[in-house]
Amino acid sequence: MAIYAAVFSPTGTSRQGAWSIATALGDAVLLDVTCAPAESRTFSPEDLVVFGAPVYGGRVFQGALERLAPLQGNNTPCLVTVTYGNRDFDDALLELTDFCREHGFAPFAGAALVGEHTYGSVQKGRPNAHDLDQDRAFALEAWEDLQAGWTDFAPPGNRPYKEGGKGGSFVPTTTEDCTHCGLCVRQCPMQAIAPDCAAIDPEKCISCFRCVKGCPQHAKGVFTPAYESFAAAFSEKLKEPKENAYFLPRG
């Protein structure tokens, strides 16, 4: 059995969860579609794929689905994971499960994982070591269920899905501390940053804040009073930590 983790993960939280689950089951190959679409590939029934994507407004980020679309299953077993910033995952896990089924995969278990939110100071440092231990334990339980013939996985959510999945509304700006190193340009998932590292196209930016978190000079951020006020209130609203939610075919 070949094991893969197929992820869209601008700031690494979705990747951490999916990778922990995949590697708990054996040696795995990472298929990271954060900055470019996946290469066309068809998996066999003997493979296993762990999918990971972030939640945007209660839906899977639509750009993630576009990047994952070239991957095709052939009744290939898969585990489905979505990562959300401590508010709610709403219809996202159901949506990603439906997407996998439409592309020939056979989802047999899923998880909604808590990660550090892009905005404010919400669940800093998550997933932490405890979260990742839980992910690995879930992977082993799910695998045991699959071997026992349990495959009737029914994730929570509603159809039609709620509105969402389109990206955020806060676009970072660049300060004079920028050294124009080009790191943010190369790492931007949507190619929204100009070659000089300064200007960011608001039509392309999805507010993932990868450039903010990754800038070695801390030259990117949202420095407006509106954002600062929102972030403070948002952080207070979501200060109580939620637990990861795991869904196995046996319930």
Side-chain angles (χ1 to χ4, degrees), residues 52-249:
V55 177
Y56 271 61
R59 294 275 302 276
V60 179
F61 171 58
Q62 299 304 288
L65 300 181
E66 293 171 6
R67 298 279 173 87
L68 292 166
L71 303 179
Q72 185 70 33
N74 179 16
N75 199 31
T76 305
C78 76
L79 287 149
V80 183
T81 73
V82 295
T83 304
Y84 71 106
N86 205 54
R87 187 196 64 80
D88 204 319
F89 59 95
D90 295 300
D91 300 331
L93 186 61
L94 175 64
E95 181 180 20
L96 187 55
T97 301
D98 288 345
F99 172 88
C100 290
R101 286 177 174 145
E102 290 164 4
H103 284 76
F105 294 92
F108 64 94
L113 308 175
V114 178
E116 181 177 324
H117 202 286
T118 295
Y119 298 155
S121 180
V122 178
Q123 296 307 300
K124 286 284 190 180
R126 294 188 73 182
N128 54 33
H130 178 64
D131 292 320
L132 299 178
D133 283 344
Q134 288 185 325
D135 295 344
R136 287 185 279 266
F138 159 71
L140 297 177
E141 285 190 72
W143 175 251
E144 290 177 1
D145 286 356
L146 181 65
Q147 297 306 297
W150 293 85
T151 58
D152 189 17
F153 163 56
N158 296 292
R159 303 184 188 95
Y161 315 127
K162 65 174 292 184
E163 289 294 321
K166 302 298 184 183
S169 56
F170 293 104
V171 178
T173 56
T174 309
T175 72
E176 61 185 14
D177 292 328
C178 177
T179 60
H180 313 287
C181 70
L183 180 64
C184 62
V185 178
R186 295 190 297 273
Q187 292 190 344
C188 178
M190 310 311 292
Q191 294 79 53
I193 305 176
D196 66 356
C197 303
I200 299 177
D201 186 340
E203 297 299 319
K204 293 181 178 180
C205 178
I206 60 171
S207 304
C208 70
F209 284 20
R210 187 178 195 178
C211 60
V212 174
K213 296 177 183 296
C215 177
Q217 302 301 319
H218 307 290
K220 289 246 183 336
V222 181
F223 307 108
T224 65
Y227 173 73
E228 292 172 359
S229 176
F230 170 84
F234 195 64
S235 299
E236 177 64 22
K237 181 180 179 180
L238 300 182
K239 67 181 180 180
E240 294 300 324
K242 291 192 174 182
E243 296 296 324
N244 302 312
Y246 301 100
F247 302 93
L248 295 162

